[in-house]
Amino acid sequence: MKFYPVLVGSTFFIILGSKILQNKEVLDQSANVATLALSVILQALPFILLGVFASSLIRYLVREDWIAKLTPKNPVAGVIVGSLLGLFIPVCDCGVLPVARGLFRKGVSMQTALAYLLTAPVINPVVILATAMAFQWNWHLVGLRVVSTFLVGATTALLAGSVFSYRAFTDREWHRHEHESSKISLHQLLVHAGDEFFDVGRYLIISAFLAAAIQIWVPKGILVQATSNPFMATGAMMLLAIAMSLCSDADAFVARVLANQFPLGSVMAFLVIGQIIDLRNIILFAKNFRLSLFIFLLVTSLCLTYVLSLSIHFGLGKLMF
């Protein structure tokens, strides 16, 4: 009996597949979806591979206490430095939280650590290069993504540091975990990087096919109605970014596909909020932060991204560059 659901499911997909093969239009559309999705995957995979291995090596080679000695104590200056640390510690969103907590444990202020946590997945050389390649070396758009991420991440970190005490950013369980992780060898870190590569790859494959399906299969009339309203388009793209939970090394390639249908402001919302708040980060933040800080980061970053996206749509992007 335990094989009955598998047998039923297999039979269903076999019948569905045979029906698709009998319909030339559906078959052609399916081929277009597969072609578009595979092109996105093939372009993104090298950057994912580079990102996860660079992230692992940086975490192994760079000591947080070195950085702690160089970061300023002034809150505003600390947030600016923290937001730019990703240029020198290029850790992807999969591993940025341990580095941020390590910086905090070594004496960096909470504002600086939070600024690094929220911006490093985007403001780092690998992701900047990946974004440029995905959007055909459009440096205007790359700069807009970097500046938008900086504004949302730095503002959220500065506000959080002003409202919450350092206890909201620390717990005993995490300190025990950090102590154990300090003994990890280079070999173990590289093995972990390989695991991250395959884990991130799953999200990329699903998201690439979803984005391709939206472009090919969703009726143009529905897309026109959704994208003609910037308020609706921005909300839809933010929800899509959170649900897809893409790695920062790959999200620009998926966004490039969606950019054919959605306005610039909503695409920028996708590129910004997806690396601050997604399903994985929601779980990690809820587990490691106090509930009040977690909710504050969630609400503040969502609101700032939404407002910034609408501002870009109504002309702020042209004023910024």
Side-chain angles (χ1 to χ4, degrees), residues 84-223:
L84 300 178
L85 274 179
L87 296 172
F88 309 99
I89 315 177
V91 178
C92 69
D93 59 313
C94 310
V96 69
L97 181 57
V99 176
R101 297 298 291 270
L103 290 170
F104 178 69
R105 185 168 57 88
K106 294 296 184 180
V108 168
S109 68
M110 186 172 75
Q111 291 100 321
T112 302
L114 277 175
Y116 174 78
L117 173 69
L118 300 177
T119 61
V122 171
I123 306 180
N124 75 65
V126 177
V127 175
I128 290 173
L129 181 62
T131 305
M133 181 176 178
F135 286 93
Q136 301 175 340
W137 311 105
N138 184 339
W139 292 103
H140 173 276
L141 194 143
V142 175
L144 189 58
R145 183 186 189 186
V146 169
V147 172
S148 298
T149 301
F150 174 83
L151 290 175
V152 173
T155 304
T156 302
L158 191 61
L159 292 174
S162 303
V163 173
F164 296 93
S165 68
Y166 72 93
R167 292 183 179 86
F169 193 64
T170 182
D171 56 50
R172 294 180 181 179
E173 180 181 353
W174 183 267
H175 283 309
R176 183 165 61 249
H177 173 72
E178 281 185 328
H179 179 71
E180 292 171 356
S181 67
S182 65
K183 300 178 181 179
I184 292 177
S185 66
L186 176 60
H187 172 72
Q188 290 172 307
L189 276 177
L190 293 177
V191 170
H192 177 264
D195 293 337
E196 286 287 348
F197 174 77
F198 288 106
D199 181 54
V200 169
R202 291 183 299 171
Y203 287 97
L204 172 62
I205 292 171
I206 295 171
S207 300
F209 274 93
L210 177 58
I214 289 173
Q215 180 165 338
I216 302 298
W217 276 331
V218 175
K220 299 299 181 183
I222 295 177
L223 278 176

Side-chain angles (χ1 to χ4, degrees), residues 32 45-46 56 63 72 109 113 126-127 156 163 175 188 194 227 240 248 257 265 286 306 315 319:
N32 291 335
L45 279 179
S56 296
R63 293 178 54 181
S109 68
V126 177
V127 175
T156 302
V163 173
H175 283 309
Q188 290 172 307
T227 58
L240 201 58
S248 57
V257 176
Y306 190 81
L319 296 176

Side-chain angles (χ1 to χ4, degrees), residues 236-254:
M237 287 291 275
M238 290 174 68
L239 289 175
L240 201 58
I242 294 170
M244 284 183 170
S245 299
L246 280 165
C247 178
S248 57
D249 301 316
D251 64 345
F253 295 95
V254 174

